[in-house]
Amino acid sequence: MDESGRGATVFAEEALLGLLGSFWQVVIGALVLVVLVLSVGRLARRGKSRMTTALLVTAAAIAGFAVIGVLLEG
């Protein structure tokens, strides 16, 4: 049922909190992605074999897709 007619109560606080919740998800996701990229870059430079680097890149891709999926879920 649509309750947007006359006499309907609008809760601006709930709308604002909903927007802020999405904003903080984006901020946290971006920070996680930055830390992940920096750590993978550092470990890749220090790695002894190509297999280690390949595994790190694969893990970063999986984590990145998971973060993007969570951010786009809403």
Side-chain angles (χ1 to χ4, degrees):
M1 292 179 63
D2 187 15
E3 297 180 5
S4 60
R6 248 179 116 163
T9 305
V10 177
F11 295 103
E13 292 177 19
E14 291 178 11
L16 180 62
L17 288 176
L19 289 173
L20 287 176
S22 298
F23 172 74
W24 284 113
Q25 283 182 339
V26 170
V27 170
I28 292 169
L31 289 176
V32 167
L33 198 57
V34 167
V35 170
L36 182 68
V37 167
L38 291 175
S39 64
V40 167
R42 182 176 178 195
L43 288 172
R45 283 189 306 253
R46 298 170 75 195
K48 294 182 181 181
S49 70
R50 291 181 183 171
M51 183 58 79
T52 302
T53 304
L55 288 173
L56 291 172
V57 169
T58 303
I62 291 170
F65 285 130
V67 168
I68 290 170
V70 168
L71 291 175
L72 295 178
E73 180 181 319

Short mmCIF file of all heavy atoms in Angstrom, two decimals:
data_model
loop_
_atom_site.label_atom_id
_atom_site.label_comp_id
_atom_site.label_asym_id
_atom_site.label_seq_id
_atom_site.Cartn_x
_atom_site.Cartn_y
_atom_site.Cartn_z
N MET A 1 0.83 -1.18 0.00
CA MET A 1 0.00 0.00 0.00
C MET A 1 0.87 1.24 0.00
O MET A 1 1.86 1.33 0.71
CB MET A 1 -0.90 0.00 1.23
CG MET A 1 -1.95 -1.08 1.20
SD MET A 1 -2.97 -1.09 2.68
CE MET A 1 -3.75 0.48 2.58
N ASP A 2 0.47 2.22 -0.76
CA ASP A 2 1.21 3.47 -0.84
C ASP A 2 0.65 4.44 0.19
O ASP A 2 -0.53 4.74 0.19
CB ASP A 2 1.08 4.04 -2.25
CG ASP A 2 1.96 5.25 -2.45
OD1 ASP A 2 2.85 5.47 -1.62
OD2 ASP A 2 1.74 5.97 -3.44
N GLU A 3 1.53 4.93 1.07
CA GLU A 3 1.09 5.84 2.12
C GLU A 3 1.62 7.25 1.89
O GLU A 3 1.89 7.98 2.82
CB GLU A 3 1.55 5.32 3.48
CG GLU A 3 0.95 3.98 3.83
CD GLU A 3 1.43 3.49 5.18
OE1 GLU A 3 2.13 4.23 5.88
OE2 GLU A 3 1.09 2.37 5.54
N SER A 4 1.77 7.64 0.63
CA SER A 4 2.33 8.95 0.34
C SER A 4 1.25 10.00 0.11
O SER A 4 1.53 11.07 -0.41
CB SER A 4 3.25 8.88 -0.89
OG SER A 4 2.50 8.42 -2.00
N GLY A 5 0.04 9.71 0.47
CA GLY A 5 -1.07 10.65 0.27
C GLY A 5 -1.08 11.73 1.33
O GLY A 5 -0.11 11.98 2.05
N ARG A 6 -2.22 12.38 1.44
CA ARG A 6 -2.37 13.44 2.41
C ARG A 6 -2.29 12.89 3.82
O ARG A 6 -2.82 11.83 4.12
CB ARG A 6 -3.73 14.08 2.24
CG ARG A 6 -3.64 15.48 1.74
CD ARG A 6 -5.01 16.02 1.56
NE ARG A 6 -5.17 17.14 2.48
CZ ARG A 6 -6.11 18.04 2.37
NH1 ARG A 6 -7.01 17.92 1.44
NH2 ARG A 6 -6.17 19.04 3.20
N GLY A 7 -1.62 13.60 4.68
CA GLY A 7 -1.52 13.18 6.07
C GLY A 7 -0.41 12.16 6.32
O GLY A 7 -0.26 11.68 7.43
N ALA A 8 0.36 11.82 5.29
CA ALA A 8 1.45 10.86 5.48
C ALA A 8 2.60 11.56 6.19
O ALA A 8 2.89 12.74 5.97
CB ALA A 8 1.93 10.33 4.14
N THR A 9 3.25 10.85 7.08
CA THR A 9 4.37 11.39 7.83
C THR A 9 5.67 11.08 7.10
O THR A 9 5.92 9.93 6.73
CB THR A 9 4.42 10.78 9.25
OG1 THR A 9 3.16 10.99 9.87
CG2 THR A 9 5.51 11.42 10.06
N VAL A 10 6.50 12.08 6.89
CA VAL A 10 7.79 11.91 6.22
C VAL A 10 8.86 11.93 7.29
O VAL A 10 8.95 12.86 8.08
CB VAL A 10 8.03 13.03 5.19
CG1 VAL A 10 9.40 12.87 4.57
CG2 VAL A 10 6.95 13.00 4.14
N PHE A 11 9.68 10.91 7.30
CA PHE A 11 10.75 10.80 8.29
C PHE A 11 12.07 11.17 7.62
O PHE A 11 12.75 10.33 7.03
CB PHE A 11 10.81 9.40 8.88
CG PHE A 11 9.58 9.05 9.67
CD1 PHE A 11 8.61 8.23 9.14
CD2 PHE A 11 9.41 9.55 10.94
CE1 PHE A 11 7.48 7.90 9.86
CE2 PHE A 11 8.29 9.24 11.67
CZ PHE A 11 7.31 8.41 11.13
N ALA A 12 12.43 12.44 7.70
CA ALA A 12 13.66 12.92 7.06
C ALA A 12 14.90 12.33 7.73
O ALA A 12 15.91 12.11 7.07
CB ALA A 12 13.70 14.44 7.10
N GLU A 13 14.81 12.09 9.02
CA GLU A 13 15.97 11.54 9.72
C GLU A 13 16.32 10.16 9.19
O GLU A 13 17.49 9.83 9.01
CB GLU A 13 15.69 11.45 11.22
CG GLU A 13 15.57 12.79 11.89
CD GLU A 13 15.23 12.65 13.36
OE1 GLU A 13 15.43 11.56 13.91
OE2 GLU A 13 14.76 13.63 13.94
N GLU A 14 15.33 9.33 8.92
CA GLU A 14 15.59 8.00 8.41
C GLU A 14 16.21 8.07 7.02
O GLU A 14 17.10 7.29 6.69
CB GLU A 14 14.30 7.19 8.38
CG GLU A 14 13.80 6.85 9.76
CD GLU A 14 12.50 6.08 9.71
OE1 GLU A 14 12.11 5.62 8.62
OE2 GLU A 14 11.87 5.94 10.77
N ALA A 15 15.75 9.00 6.20
CA ALA A 15 16.32 9.16 4.86
C ALA A 15 17.77 9.60 4.95
O ALA A 15 18.63 9.10 4.21
CB ALA A 15 15.51 10.16 4.06
N LEU A 16 18.06 10.54 5.85
CA LEU A 16 19.43 11.02 6.01
C LEU A 16 20.35 9.91 6.49
O LEU A 16 21.45 9.73 5.98
CB LEU A 16 19.47 12.21 6.98
CG LEU A 16 20.85 12.81 7.25
CD1 LEU A 16 21.42 13.37 5.96
CD2 LEU A 16 20.75 13.89 8.30
N LEU A 17 19.90 9.15 7.47
CA LEU A 17 20.72 8.05 7.97
C LEU A 17 20.93 6.99 6.89
O LEU A 17 22.00 6.38 6.81
CB LEU A 17 20.07 7.43 9.21
CG LEU A 17 20.14 8.28 10.48
CD1 LEU A 17 19.39 7.60 11.62
CD2 LEU A 17 21.57 8.53 10.87
N GLY A 18 19.93 6.78 6.06
CA GLY A 18 20.08 5.83 4.95
C GLY A 18 21.15 6.28 3.97
O GLY A 18 21.95 5.48 3.50
N LEU A 19 21.18 7.57 3.66
CA LEU A 19 22.20 8.10 2.76
C LEU A 19 23.58 8.03 3.39
O LEU A 19 24.57 7.71 2.73
CB LEU A 19 21.88 9.55 2.39
CG LEU A 19 20.69 9.75 1.46
CD1 LEU A 19 20.40 11.24 1.33
CD2 LEU A 19 20.97 9.15 0.11
N LEU A 20 23.67 8.37 4.67
CA LEU A 20 24.97 8.32 5.35
C LEU A 20 25.49 6.89 5.45
O LEU A 20 26.69 6.67 5.34
CB LEU A 20 24.87 8.95 6.75
CG LEU A 20 24.74 10.46 6.77
CD1 LEU A 20 24.54 10.95 8.20
CD2 LEU A 20 25.94 11.12 6.15
N GLY A 21 24.60 5.94 5.66
CA GLY A 21 25.02 4.54 5.72
C GLY A 21 25.68 4.10 4.43
O GLY A 21 26.74 3.47 4.43
N SER A 22 25.09 4.47 3.30
CA SER A 22 25.68 4.13 2.00
C SER A 22 27.01 4.84 1.81
O SER A 22 27.96 4.26 1.28
CB SER A 22 24.72 4.53 0.88
OG SER A 22 23.52 3.82 0.99
N PHE A 23 27.09 6.09 2.23
CA PHE A 23 28.33 6.86 2.09
C PHE A 23 29.46 6.19 2.87
O PHE A 23 30.58 6.05 2.36
CB PHE A 23 28.12 8.29 2.59
CG PHE A 23 29.38 9.09 2.67
CD1 PHE A 23 29.98 9.55 1.52
CD2 PHE A 23 29.97 9.37 3.89
CE1 PHE A 23 31.16 10.29 1.58
CE2 PHE A 23 31.14 10.10 3.96
CZ PHE A 23 31.74 10.57 2.81
N TRP A 24 29.19 5.77 4.10
CA TRP A 24 30.24 5.14 4.90
C TRP A 24 30.64 3.79 4.34
O TRP A 24 31.80 3.39 4.45
CB TRP A 24 29.81 5.03 6.36
CG TRP A 24 29.89 6.36 7.04
CD1 TRP A 24 28.86 7.09 7.52
CD2 TRP A 24 31.08 7.12 7.28
NE1 TRP A 24 29.33 8.28 8.04
CE2 TRP A 24 30.69 8.32 7.91
CE3 TRP A 24 32.43 6.93 7.02
CZ2 TRP A 24 31.60 9.30 8.28
CZ3 TRP A 24 33.34 7.91 7.40
CH2 TRP A 24 32.92 9.07 8.01
N GLN A 25 29.72 3.07 3.71
CA GLN A 25 30.10 1.82 3.06
C GLN A 25 31.09 2.08 1.93
O GLN A 25 32.06 1.34 1.77
CB GLN A 25 28.87 1.11 2.49
CG GLN A 25 28.05 0.40 3.53
CD GLN A 25 26.87 -0.31 2.91
OE1 GLN A 25 26.44 0.03 1.80
NE2 GLN A 25 26.34 -1.28 3.61
N VAL A 26 30.87 3.14 1.18
CA VAL A 26 31.78 3.49 0.08
C VAL A 26 33.14 3.89 0.64
O VAL A 26 34.18 3.47 0.12
CB VAL A 26 31.18 4.62 -0.78
CG1 VAL A 26 32.19 5.16 -1.77
CG2 VAL A 26 29.94 4.13 -1.49
N VAL A 27 33.15 4.68 1.70
CA VAL A 27 34.43 5.12 2.30
C VAL A 27 35.21 3.93 2.82
O VAL A 27 36.41 3.79 2.55
CB VAL A 27 34.17 6.15 3.43
CG1 VAL A 27 35.44 6.43 4.22
CG2 VAL A 27 33.61 7.43 2.86
N ILE A 28 34.56 3.06 3.56
CA ILE A 28 35.24 1.88 4.11
C ILE A 28 35.73 0.97 2.99
O ILE A 28 36.86 0.46 3.03
CB ILE A 28 34.31 1.14 5.08
CG1 ILE A 28 34.08 2.00 6.33
CG2 ILE A 28 34.88 -0.22 5.47
CD1 ILE A 28 32.97 1.48 7.24
N GLY A 29 34.89 0.76 1.99
CA GLY A 29 35.30 -0.08 0.86
C GLY A 29 36.50 0.49 0.13
O GLY A 29 37.41 -0.24 -0.26
N ALA A 30 36.51 1.81 -0.07
CA ALA A 30 37.64 2.45 -0.76
C ALA A 30 38.92 2.32 0.06
O ALA A 30 40.00 2.04 -0.49
CB ALA A 30 37.33 3.91 -1.02
N LEU A 31 38.83 2.50 1.37
CA LEU A 31 40.02 2.36 2.22
C LEU A 31 40.54 0.92 2.21
O LEU A 31 41.76 0.70 2.15
CB LEU A 31 39.70 2.80 3.64
CG LEU A 31 39.51 4.31 3.82
CD1 LEU A 31 39.10 4.62 5.26
CD2 LEU A 31 40.76 5.06 3.45
N VAL A 32 39.65 -0.04 2.26
CA VAL A 32 40.06 -1.45 2.21
C VAL A 32 40.75 -1.73 0.88
O VAL A 32 41.80 -2.40 0.83
CB VAL A 32 38.85 -2.38 2.42
CG1 VAL A 32 39.19 -3.81 2.05
CG2 VAL A 32 38.37 -2.31 3.85
N LEU A 33 40.21 -1.20 -0.21
CA LEU A 33 40.79 -1.42 -1.52
C LEU A 33 42.18 -0.78 -1.63
O LEU A 33 43.11 -1.39 -2.17
CB LEU A 33 39.86 -0.85 -2.59
CG LEU A 33 40.07 -1.33 -4.01
CD1 LEU A 33 39.95 -2.85 -4.09
CD2 LEU A 33 39.05 -0.69 -4.92
N VAL A 34 42.35 0.43 -1.09
CA VAL A 34 43.66 1.10 -1.12
C VAL A 34 44.69 0.31 -0.33
O VAL A 34 45.81 0.06 -0.80
CB VAL A 34 43.54 2.54 -0.59
CG1 VAL A 34 44.92 3.15 -0.31
CG2 VAL A 34 42.78 3.40 -1.57
N VAL A 35 44.33 -0.13 0.87
CA VAL A 35 45.26 -0.90 1.70
C VAL A 35 45.61 -2.22 1.02
O VAL A 35 46.76 -2.66 1.02
CB VAL A 35 44.66 -1.13 3.10
CG1 VAL A 35 45.48 -2.13 3.89
CG2 VAL A 35 44.58 0.18 3.85
N LEU A 36 44.63 -2.84 0.41
CA LEU A 36 44.86 -4.11 -0.29
C LEU A 36 45.82 -3.92 -1.45
O LEU A 36 46.77 -4.69 -1.61
CB LEU A 36 43.53 -4.66 -0.79
CG LEU A 36 43.59 -6.00 -1.50
CD1 LEU A 36 43.99 -7.09 -0.51
CD2 LEU A 36 42.25 -6.32 -2.13
N VAL A 37 45.63 -2.88 -2.24
CA VAL A 37 46.51 -2.63 -3.38
C VAL A 37 47.93 -2.33 -2.91
O VAL A 37 48.91 -2.84 -3.47
CB VAL A 37 45.96 -1.48 -4.25
CG1 VAL A 37 46.99 -0.98 -5.25
CG2 VAL A 37 44.69 -1.92 -4.96
N LEU A 38 48.06 -1.52 -1.88
CA LEU A 38 49.40 -1.20 -1.37
C LEU A 38 50.11 -2.43 -0.82
O LEU A 38 51.30 -2.64 -1.07
CB LEU A 38 49.31 -0.11 -0.29
CG LEU A 38 48.89 1.27 -0.79
CD1 LEU A 38 48.72 2.22 0.40
CD2 LEU A 38 49.89 1.81 -1.77
N SER A 39 49.39 -3.24 -0.08
CA SER A 39 50.03 -4.43 0.51
C SER A 39 50.39 -5.45 -0.56
O SER A 39 51.45 -6.08 -0.49
CB SER A 39 49.12 -5.06 1.57
OG SER A 39 47.93 -5.53 0.98
N VAL A 40 49.54 -5.63 -1.57
CA VAL A 40 49.87 -6.56 -2.64
C VAL A 40 51.07 -6.06 -3.43
O VAL A 40 51.95 -6.85 -3.80
CB VAL A 40 48.64 -6.79 -3.56
CG1 VAL A 40 49.04 -7.49 -4.84
CG2 VAL A 40 47.59 -7.60 -2.83
N GLY A 41 51.14 -4.77 -3.68
CA GLY A 41 52.29 -4.21 -4.39
C GLY A 41 53.59 -4.43 -3.63
O GLY A 41 54.60 -4.83 -4.21
N ARG A 42 53.54 -4.22 -2.34
CA ARG A 42 54.74 -4.41 -1.52
C ARG A 42 55.16 -5.88 -1.48
O ARG A 42 56.34 -6.21 -1.63
CB ARG A 42 54.47 -3.91 -0.12
CG ARG A 42 55.66 -4.02 0.79
CD ARG A 42 55.38 -3.42 2.14
NE ARG A 42 56.54 -3.58 3.00
CZ ARG A 42 56.53 -3.43 4.30
NH1 ARG A 42 55.41 -3.08 4.89
NH2 ARG A 42 57.61 -3.60 5.01
N LEU A 43 54.20 -6.76 -1.29
CA LEU A 43 54.52 -8.18 -1.25
C LEU A 43 54.98 -8.69 -2.61
O LEU A 43 55.86 -9.56 -2.69
CB LEU A 43 53.31 -8.98 -0.78
CG LEU A 43 52.97 -8.84 0.70
CD1 LEU A 43 51.65 -9.53 1.00
CD2 LEU A 43 54.08 -9.41 1.57
N ALA A 44 54.42 -8.17 -3.69
CA ALA A 44 54.83 -8.60 -5.03
C ALA A 44 56.28 -8.20 -5.32
O ALA A 44 57.02 -8.95 -5.95
CB ALA A 44 53.90 -8.00 -6.08
N ARG A 45 56.69 -7.02 -4.84
CA ARG A 45 58.08 -6.59 -5.03
C ARG A 45 59.04 -7.47 -4.24
O ARG A 45 60.17 -7.68 -4.65
CB ARG A 45 58.25 -5.14 -4.60
CG ARG A 45 57.73 -4.14 -5.59
CD ARG A 45 58.15 -2.74 -5.18
NE ARG A 45 57.72 -2.47 -3.81
CZ ARG A 45 56.73 -1.66 -3.47
NH1 ARG A 45 56.07 -1.03 -4.39
NH2 ARG A 45 56.41 -1.47 -2.21
N ARG A 46 58.59 -7.96 -3.11
CA ARG A 46 59.47 -8.76 -2.25
C ARG A 46 59.38 -10.24 -2.55
O ARG A 46 60.18 -11.02 -2.02
CB ARG A 46 59.09 -8.52 -0.79
CG ARG A 46 59.26 -7.08 -0.37
CD ARG A 46 58.67 -6.83 0.97
NE ARG A 46 59.52 -7.36 2.01
CZ ARG A 46 59.16 -7.55 3.26
NH1 ARG A 46 57.93 -7.24 3.63
NH2 ARG A 46 59.98 -8.04 4.14
N GLY A 47 58.43 -10.65 -3.38
CA GLY A 47 58.20 -12.07 -3.65
C GLY A 47 59.39 -12.73 -4.32
O GLY A 47 60.13 -12.12 -5.07
N LYS A 48 59.56 -14.02 -4.06
CA LYS A 48 60.69 -14.76 -4.61
C LYS A 48 60.34 -15.51 -5.89
O LYS A 48 61.21 -15.92 -6.63
CB LYS A 48 61.21 -15.76 -3.58
CG LYS A 48 61.80 -15.08 -2.36
CD LYS A 48 62.34 -16.11 -1.40
CE LYS A 48 62.91 -15.44 -0.17
NZ LYS A 48 63.45 -16.39 0.78
N SER A 49 59.07 -15.73 -6.13
CA SER A 49 58.70 -16.50 -7.31
C SER A 49 57.50 -15.86 -8.00
O SER A 49 56.75 -15.08 -7.42
CB SER A 49 58.36 -17.93 -6.93
OG SER A 49 57.15 -17.96 -6.20
N ARG A 50 57.34 -16.20 -9.24
CA ARG A 50 56.21 -15.68 -9.98
C ARG A 50 54.90 -16.27 -9.48
O ARG A 50 53.86 -15.63 -9.56
CB ARG A 50 56.38 -15.99 -11.47
CG ARG A 50 57.49 -15.21 -12.09
CD ARG A 50 57.61 -15.52 -13.56
NE ARG A 50 58.73 -14.81 -14.14
CZ ARG A 50 59.17 -15.00 -15.34
NH1 ARG A 50 58.57 -15.89 -16.11
NH2 ARG A 50 60.18 -14.32 -15.79
N MET A 51 54.93 -17.48 -8.98
CA MET A 51 53.72 -18.11 -8.48
C MET A 51 53.17 -17.34 -7.28
O MET A 51 51.96 -17.14 -7.15
CB MET A 51 53.98 -19.56 -8.10
CG MET A 51 52.74 -20.30 -7.63
SD MET A 51 51.42 -20.31 -8.84
CE MET A 51 52.00 -21.59 -9.91
N THR A 52 54.05 -16.89 -6.41
CA THR A 52 53.61 -16.11 -5.25
C THR A 52 52.92 -14.83 -5.71
O THR A 52 51.86 -14.47 -5.21
CB THR A 52 54.82 -15.75 -4.36
OG1 THR A 52 55.45 -16.96 -3.93
CG2 THR A 52 54.38 -14.97 -3.14
N THR A 53 53.52 -14.16 -6.68
CA THR A 53 52.92 -12.93 -7.20
C THR A 53 51.57 -13.22 -7.85
O THR A 53 50.61 -12.48 -7.65
CB THR A 53 53.86 -12.27 -8.23
OG1 THR A 53 55.13 -12.04 -7.60
CG2 THR A 53 53.30 -10.97 -8.73
N ALA A 54 51.49 -14.31 -8.59
CA ALA A 54 50.23 -14.66 -9.25
C ALA A 54 49.14 -14.95 -8.21
O ALA A 54 47.98 -14.55 -8.38
CB ALA A 54 50.43 -15.86 -10.15
N LEU A 55 49.51 -15.62 -7.14
CA LEU A 55 48.54 -15.92 -6.09
C LEU A 55 48.07 -14.64 -5.40
O LEU A 55 46.89 -14.50 -5.08
CB LEU A 55 49.14 -16.89 -5.07
CG LEU A 55 49.30 -18.33 -5.54
CD1 LEU A 55 50.07 -19.14 -4.49
CD2 LEU A 55 47.96 -18.96 -5.81
N LEU A 56 48.99 -13.72 -5.17
CA LEU A 56 48.61 -12.46 -4.54
C LEU A 56 47.69 -11.64 -5.44
O LEU A 56 46.72 -11.05 -4.97
CB LEU A 56 49.86 -11.66 -4.19
CG LEU A 56 50.72 -12.23 -3.06
CD1 LEU A 56 52.02 -11.45 -2.95
CD2 LEU A 56 49.97 -12.17 -1.76
N VAL A 57 47.99 -11.61 -6.72
CA VAL A 57 47.15 -10.85 -7.64
C VAL A 57 45.76 -11.48 -7.72
O VAL A 57 44.75 -10.78 -7.73
CB VAL A 57 47.81 -10.78 -9.04
CG1 VAL A 57 46.85 -10.23 -10.08
CG2 VAL A 57 49.07 -9.94 -8.98
N THR A 58 45.71 -12.80 -7.74
CA THR A 58 44.41 -13.50 -7.76
C THR A 58 43.62 -13.21 -6.50
O THR A 58 42.41 -12.94 -6.55
CB THR A 58 44.63 -15.01 -7.93
OG1 THR A 58 45.38 -15.24 -9.13
CG2 THR A 58 43.31 -15.73 -8.02
N ALA A 59 44.28 -13.26 -5.36
CA ALA A 59 43.60 -12.96 -4.10
C ALA A 59 43.10 -11.52 -4.06
O ALA A 59 41.99 -11.25 -3.59
CB ALA A 59 44.54 -13.22 -2.92
N ALA A 60 43.90 -10.60 -4.58
CA ALA A 60 43.47 -9.20 -4.63
C ALA A 60 42.26 -9.02 -5.54
O ALA A 60 41.34 -8.27 -5.22
CB ALA A 60 44.63 -8.32 -5.11
N ALA A 61 42.26 -9.73 -6.66
CA ALA A 61 41.12 -9.63 -7.57
C ALA A 61 39.85 -10.17 -6.92
O ALA A 61 38.77 -9.56 -7.03
CB ALA A 61 41.41 -10.39 -8.87
N ILE A 62 39.96 -11.28 -6.23
CA ILE A 62 38.80 -11.86 -5.55
C ILE A 62 38.28 -10.91 -4.48
O ILE A 62 37.08 -10.65 -4.38
CB ILE A 62 39.16 -13.23 -4.94
CG1 ILE A 62 39.40 -14.24 -6.06
CG2 ILE A 62 38.06 -13.72 -4.00
CD1 ILE A 62 40.00 -15.55 -5.59
N ALA A 63 39.18 -10.38 -3.67
CA ALA A 63 38.77 -9.44 -2.62
C ALA A 63 38.18 -8.17 -3.22
O ALA A 63 37.19 -7.64 -2.72
CB ALA A 63 39.96 -9.11 -1.72
N GLY A 64 38.77 -7.67 -4.30
CA GLY A 64 38.25 -6.47 -4.95
C GLY A 64 36.85 -6.68 -5.50
O GLY A 64 35.98 -5.83 -5.33
N PHE A 65 36.63 -7.82 -6.15
CA PHE A 65 35.29 -8.12 -6.66
C PHE A 65 34.29 -8.27 -5.53
O PHE A 65 33.13 -7.87 -5.65
CB PHE A 65 35.29 -9.37 -7.53
CG PHE A 65 35.89 -9.16 -8.89
CD1 PHE A 65 36.86 -10.02 -9.37
CD2 PHE A 65 35.50 -8.10 -9.68
CE1 PHE A 65 37.42 -9.83 -10.62
CE2 PHE A 65 36.04 -7.90 -10.93
CZ PHE A 65 37.01 -8.76 -11.41
N ALA A 66 34.71 -8.84 -4.42
CA ALA A 66 33.82 -8.97 -3.27
C ALA A 66 33.44 -7.60 -2.72
O ALA A 66 32.27 -7.35 -2.40
CB ALA A 66 34.48 -9.81 -2.18
N VAL A 67 34.42 -6.69 -2.61
CA VAL A 67 34.14 -5.34 -2.11
C VAL A 67 33.20 -4.61 -3.07
O VAL A 67 32.23 -3.97 -2.65
CB VAL A 67 35.46 -4.55 -1.93
CG1 VAL A 67 35.19 -3.08 -1.71
CG2 VAL A 67 36.26 -5.13 -0.78
N ILE A 68 33.47 -4.71 -4.36
CA ILE A 68 32.60 -4.05 -5.33
C ILE A 68 31.19 -4.62 -5.28
O ILE A 68 30.20 -3.89 -5.34
CB ILE A 68 33.19 -4.19 -6.75
CG1 ILE A 68 34.46 -3.33 -6.87
CG2 ILE A 68 32.17 -3.78 -7.82
CD1 ILE A 68 35.25 -3.56 -8.13
N GLY A 69 31.08 -5.94 -5.12
CA GLY A 69 29.77 -6.56 -5.01
C GLY A 69 28.99 -6.08 -3.80
O GLY A 69 27.80 -5.82 -3.88
N VAL A 70 29.69 -5.92 -2.67
CA VAL A 70 29.02 -5.42 -1.45
C VAL A 70 28.59 -3.98 -1.64
O VAL A 70 27.50 -3.59 -1.23
CB VAL A 70 29.95 -5.57 -0.24
CG1 VAL A 70 29.42 -4.82 0.96
CG2 VAL A 70 30.14 -7.04 0.11
N LEU A 71 29.43 -3.17 -2.26
CA LEU A 71 29.10 -1.76 -2.46
C LEU A 71 27.93 -1.58 -3.43
O LEU A 71 27.10 -0.68 -3.25
CB LEU A 71 30.31 -0.99 -2.97
CG LEU A 71 31.46 -0.82 -1.97
CD1 LEU A 71 32.63 -0.13 -2.65
CD2 LEU A 71 31.00 -0.02 -0.77
N LEU A 72 27.85 -2.41 -4.44
CA LEU A 72 26.79 -2.27 -5.44
C LEU A 72 25.51 -3.03 -5.06
O LEU A 72 24.52 -2.94 -5.77
CB LEU A 72 27.28 -2.76 -6.79
CG LEU A 72 28.43 -1.95 -7.41
CD1 LEU A 72 28.86 -2.56 -8.73
CD2 LEU A 72 28.02 -0.50 -7.60
N GLU A 73 25.55 -3.74 -3.97
CA GLU A 73 24.41 -4.56 -3.55
C GLU A 73 23.19 -3.72 -3.20
O GLU A 73 22.07 -4.08 -3.52
CB GLU A 73 24.81 -5.40 -2.33
CG GLU A 73 23.72 -6.28 -1.79
CD GLU A 73 24.21 -7.04 -0.59
OE1 GLU A 73 25.37 -7.51 -0.61
OE2 GLU A 73 23.45 -7.16 0.37
N GLY A 74 23.40 -2.60 -2.50
CA GLY A 74 22.34 -1.78 -1.98
C GLY A 74 21.42 -1.28 -3.02
O GLY A 74 20.31 -1.01 -2.93
#
